Amino acid sequence: MASSTAIVPSRMHQQSRGDRGLFSSSDDNVMMKQITATHAPDGREFDVKPLLHVIEDIMHRATPAIPGIPHATQAQLEAMDEKAVYSGFSDMLELLAYPINRIACEISCKCSGGSDAHATTVALFNTLSSYMWDAKVVIALAAFSVNYGEFWLVAQLYPSNPLAKSVAFLKQLPDVLEHTDSLKPKFEALNTLIKAMLDVTKCIVEFTDLPSQYITADTPELVIATAHIPTAVYWTIRSIVACASQIMNLIGMGHEYIASTTEAWELSSLAHKVSNIHSHLQKQLALCYQHIDEKRHIEAYQTLVRLIDTPHIDNMKILKTLIYAKEDQPPLWDGHLKKRVSIDVLRRKNVLLFISDIDLSHDQELYILDQMYTESRQHPTRPESQYEIVWLPVVDRSTPWNETKQKQFENLQSMMAWHSVHHPSLIDPAVIKYIKEVWHFNKKPLLVALDTQGRVVNTNAIHMMWIWGYLAFPFTTVREDALWKEETWRIELLADSIEPMIFTWISEGKYICLYGGEDMEWIRRFTTTARAVAQAARIPLEMLYVGKSNPREKVRKNNTTIVTENLSHILPDLTLIWFFWVRLESMWHSKTQHGKSVENDVIVQEIMTMLSFDGSDQGWAVISRGSAEMAKAKGDTILKSLTQFEQWKERAGREGFVAALNENLHELHTPHHCNRLILPGATGTIPERVVCAECGRPMEKFIMYRCCTD
């Protein structure tokens, strides 16, 4: 026994001195030339993953349950039971059982005889020369796991199993395990190194399992990784030798064995190096997966493009491509029934895809769309009610999905009476790419219309919905063109249903004045003057304040003041004010998409004038009688015209109030003016050339960034 005690320290110091020099990169290069010279694979390839699962199972179960040293939990062991599948494993084991046991014997023999660690490692590489790099490291690790597992199997069973007790007695393991306090640093270092070895081995195997249809051997990311794999295999097998030596040193030492800090340092140093190798391989593996994902996304995107351009019997194939569905998990959420439903509920129906992100800055879109959807459901048998809406939330996949985003998504989903995807993850990245690149989604909501066969009949029907509501069914561009042919510029088109009383006022033959702006002093002067002129002209006048686009606190305060001072009617809900202006913007986008402009379309000219009113800093007003007669001007101009009523009073009596007002406004009009048109970042294409609605000259284009102007 004394001779054994004398041998071990000298052997360990010998290995320690050798290892210190081998951690440098210059020595790595020399060693790797020696190692690669042993590499002569015979072309056989093995699926070593099942073997790796068994190795992992052994390592987890063999981890010593010593106080203060982490070991596998019962849950982890149960998970390993499921993972270590032995079916289909026997054929491979027949081929690898002999080399595994041969390497196990070689490790035991050489690590017991005081051989140099590097020399032992080279000898193992010579034995494994005919195998690929991944098979080399897995076979070596399997061989070590046999020795390691047998050692701890005896150590764990000796208190209760007579056979294990006798074997442990001969190995003097009870005496060793009684000194666990002094051995704790060694076991901790050993476990850390074994984990690092497993991590590197799994990473190497993962490289060999990458799909060749998406990444080839000459792909730069894989070329770099492949160049480092021999080094990773070397240091993993070198670490196996170190771990085996430590285990062998425990056998037969009994109470005379004293663990030195040098041994723990050796293991820790190796663990540090192997962990660094693993980190580097993991980074390369992540780059490889990124390359694979890009290839897959391109392939999926191209498939989607072809699919959408191909005629189909119904809309199911398109919808199931846009929305990923597992057989046992319905992908849609029914906002009315409040439950998950199958995508089949949309079969052969007209579908409007409501596309937005989950950062909707305003809920006006949802409010108005809900009003229109609910109204269409009141008469479900009408042809124009035969459509369904499905919300497709587009989220940024580059940032992690967290609880805050989940609540944000659920909050929006709860506001919708229609269908939505159950979770944003059901929308594939290729679909998001298509939505952005083909349908031009960019923050602002879209309403893509699909017919009963899944054909895209309108890449953005939201403008049609805002202008005509469900009467725009089936939301095709052909229907859009037909609706415009039926329209003329009139108060009904301008105001629609923002105030139901407008239609009553029209039927009663009243004069209607819509006015806006934020200047409260101008509002007071204008409404007071307009009321006085109406009384003098003996005409029935109703006035309605429609504020400004993107209404904020100033408009809210103006509403309160107007009601308090009884100046005119108001739209009490700021969402209705927002809708008044967004309808005008939608009219502009809709018209321009059909090739209309100020030069060739009267309605576009009138819309441009209204939008330029909103872009100015002053108020404005439109005065109409019936459906056709209409006069309009900016605040100062129309106020001046009204104050001059006595000058054109007789003309008003002869020609009518609106006609006379128009003539007077024309006389006050000066050619030297500037119109400002502000178009918010709405959906649709912004034309390069826009002409002034009044003078016909091309307008200069600027880009403006504006937050709250209050």
Side-chain angles (χ1 to χ4, degrees), residues 63-77:
T63 302
I66 296 174
I69 297 180
H71 59 279
T73 64
Q74 187 60 35
Q76 287 173 321
L77 296 180

Side-chain angles (χ1 to χ4, degrees), residues 261-519:
T261 55
T262 303
E263 295 167 9
W265 177 86
E266 287 176 6
L267 297 175
S268 297
S269 298
L270 277 170
H272 178 71
K273 185 172 187 72
V274 174
S275 294
N276 284 341
I277 290 172
H278 176 248
S279 297
H280 179 78
L281 289 179
Q282 278 290 96
K283 289 176 183 176
Q284 285 305 123
L285 189 61
L287 291 174
C288 287
Y289 278 126
Q290 183 179 338
H291 175 86
I292 291 167
D293 285 343
E294 289 172 358
K295 291 287 186 181
R296 280 177 171 159
H297 292 163
I298 291 170
E299 182 182 78
Y301 176 79
Q302 291 171 343
T303 301
L304 180 61
V305 171
R306 289 193 300 269
L307 188 68
I308 290 180
D309 291 340
T310 303
H312 301 280
I313 297 173
D314 60 23
N315 56 3
M316 283 295 95
K317 196 164 188 178
I318 294 296
L319 290 174
K320 287 180 179 179
T321 303
L322 294 174
I323 304 169
Y324 175 71
K326 293 182 180 179
E327 290 184 7
D328 57 336
Q329 295 179 354
L332 296 181
W333 176 260
D334 189 314
H336 176 66
L337 299 177
K338 304 299 180 187
K339 68 175 186 178
R340 294 181 73 164
V341 296
S342 168
I343 205 165
D344 287 324
V345 300
L346 303 174
R347 188 182 295 274
R348 300 204 175 182
K349 290 187 177 181
N350 291 85
V351 176
L352 294 177
L353 302 175
F354 179 58
I355 300 170
S356 77
D357 56 23
I358 62 170
D359 297 316
L360 282 175
S361 55
H362 307 290
D363 59 3
Q364 293 105 320
E365 288 97 343
L366 293 183
Y367 175 79
I368 297 297
L369 193 57
D370 181 71
Q371 294 292 311
M372 294 178 173
Y373 181 77
T374 302
E375 187 178 351
S376 70
R377 301 299 104 170
Q378 292 174 358
H379 303 282
T381 59
R382 291 188 306 194
E384 59 266 24
S385 299
Q386 306 307 306
Y387 70 91
E388 293 292 340
I389 299 177
V390 179
W391 179 39
L392 300 185
V394 176
V395 298
D396 182 5
R397 299 289 179 92
S398 64
T399 57
W401 187 260
N402 52 34
E403 188 177 346
T404 302
K405 290 188 176 182
Q406 179 65 25
K407 287 181 178 178
Q408 197 175 0
F409 165 72
E410 290 174 355
N411 180 56
L412 282 174
Q413 192 179 53
S414 67
M415 298 168 64
M416 300 176 184
W418 48 84
H419 296 91
S420 60
V421 295
H422 181 256
H423 193 272
S425 60
L426 297 177
I427 305 175
D428 190 86
V431 175
I432 293 177
K433 175 181 171 68
Y434 188 89
I435 287 171
K436 290 181 176 180
E437 294 188 4
V438 179
W439 292 341
H440 306 296
F441 171 75
N442 184 20
K443 287 291 185 182
K444 295 292 287 184
L446 293 181
L447 209 57
V448 177
L450 307 180
D451 68 7
T452 56
Q453 294 176 287
R455 291 177 300 189
V456 177
V457 294
N458 197 329
T459 55
N460 192 10
I462 201 164
H463 304 309
M464 293 182 71
M465 183 65 84
W466 289 165
I467 300 167
W468 297 288
Y470 63 84
L471 295 176
F473 180 87
F475 307 102
T476 64
T477 53
V478 174
R479 174 63 174 160
E480 186 175 21
D481 189 51
L483 286 169
W484 275 125
K485 287 178 180 177
E486 298 171 6
E487 289 289 1
T488 57
W489 184 251
R490 52 201 175 101
I491 195 68
E492 293 94 330
L493 177 63
L494 176 60
D496 189 55
S497 57
I498 58 166
E499 171 52 69
M501 285 300 295
I502 287 178
F503 295 97
T504 303
W505 297 337
I506 293 172
S507 65
E508 293 174 351
K510 291 185 176 181
Y511 289 79
I512 301 168
C513 174
L514 303 182
Y515 71 98
E518 292 180 327
D519 186 345

